[in-house]
Amino acid sequence: MSLIFARHGESHANLLNVFANREPSHPLTDRGREQAVALARRLAGRTIVGRPTGDRTSGDHFTVGRIHTSPLLRAVQTARILGHELGVPVVVSDALREYDVGSYEGSGDPAHWREYDEVLEAWLVRNEADRRVGGGENLHEIRARFRSFVDELGTRAGNTVLVGHGGLYRCALPGVLSNVTPRWALAHPLANTETVTARPHRGRLVAVAWGDLDVGPDGVLDELRPPDGS
């Protein structure tokens, strides 16, 4: 079983640099649609990752069984492209939506973005989990909805792609992947359609790839020490 956490393709909200974390949302750009097609092709052509060294064969191709997506338009459009290219059904899951920023929704005010960055650092560096951006969700709330959903998926066989958002993944992945530290997630945001691959290992869910970086299942992704790649 593998979980592939994928960020959506480039959207108009990315170009406008506005908070667009509720519906109605901004669609993908032409480049974002191209990125989604390219992601589908990468998934279709990949081999299984995270096996011990020497335990990978040429026939170990990765097959996607399910796709879950955030309800926001840019994520849904990305997921539908993946589903069309891979022949896999798409299910909308509210647990994957981007985290709420309260009264800052729709804003591109630089002061609001500075507060966003300050709160993100407070969450992931100083563990000040009760703070909120614009009166929106705090870190406890974000992680609670995300963890319950991932825990449920972790009981199913097969490989699942989860299409979500950069902010959500930076905040929530360290809460479900035992070998990813908050400092690492803060320092390594996912680009559009970049992925994190996770698999069970010794009773825990661990990252075995973060973007282009492969990680040994016993390695730790931490800014304070080099990762144990394999």
Side-chain angles (χ1 to χ4, degrees):
M1 183 274 285
S2 294
L3 299 179
I4 310 296
F5 300 95
R7 189 184 173 197
H8 60 80
E10 181 188 77
S11 74
H12 288 280
N14 295 140
L15 300 184
L16 295 170
N17 199 36
V18 297
F19 294 107
N21 300 356
R22 305 175 191 160
E23 291 291 3
S25 189
H26 296 265
L28 293 178
T29 62
D30 290 342
R31 182 169 183 261
R33 287 187 285 272
E34 292 170 357
Q35 290 172 332
V37 172
L39 173 59
R41 291 172 179 169
R42 292 199 304 272
L43 290 172
R46 74 187 298 177
T47 56
I48 296 173
V49 299
R51 289 184 180 275
T53 303
D55 192 29
R56 184 179 299 176
T57 69
S58 60
D60 287 333
H61 290 293
F62 183 91
T63 302
V64 175
R66 293 174 297 273
I67 299 173
H68 288 266
T69 181
S70 158
L72 298 184
L73 180 58
R74 57 194 182 272
V76 171
Q77 290 179 328
T78 301
R80 286 177 176 167
I81 291 170
L82 296 180
H84 175 75
E85 294 288 328
L86 299 172
V88 178
V90 172
V91 178
V92 174
S93 302
D94 189 65
L96 293 173
R97 62 181 166 81
E98 183 62 290
Y99 67 82
D100 192 83
V101 294
S103 62
Y104 295 171
E105 177 67 19
S107 172
D109 188 328
H112 294 166
W113 279 107
R114 284 194 296 272
E115 181 180 327
Y116 173 91
D117 291 336
E118 290 168 3
V119 172
L120 189 61
E121 182 173 346
W123 284 345
L124 298 181
V125 175
R126 299 190 297 276
N127 198 30
E128 297 174 6
D130 292 326
R131 293 187 61 175
R132 301 173 187 271
V133 180
E137 290 179 284
N138 66 30
L139 184 61
H140 296 301
E141 294 162 342
I142 297 164
R143 287 188 172 178
R145 63 173 164 91
F146 188 77
R147 174 178 282 281
S148 61
F149 178 66
V150 172
D151 285 348
E152 178 186 352
L153 290 178
T155 65
R156 304 178 187 177
N159 302 310
T160 303
V161 174
L162 301 90
V163 181
H165 303 270
L168 172 70
Y169 287 151
R170 290 172 93 179
C171 296
L173 286 179
V176 298
L177 302 180
S178 63
N179 65 337
V180 174
T181 65
R183 286 181 180 272
W184 176 272
L186 178 64
H188 297 84
L190 296 177
N192 293 115
T193 64
E194 196 169 20
T195 63
V196 174
T197 302
R199 295 184 66 195
H201 176 68
R202 298 178 180 174
R204 306 173 301 154
L205 190 65
V206 300
V208 295
W210 186 285
D212 293 332
L213 176 67
D214 285 352
V215 188
D218 292 312
V220 176
L221 290 173
D222 191 334
E223 275 299 278
L224 302 181
R225 63 178 181 177
D228 176 19
S230 67

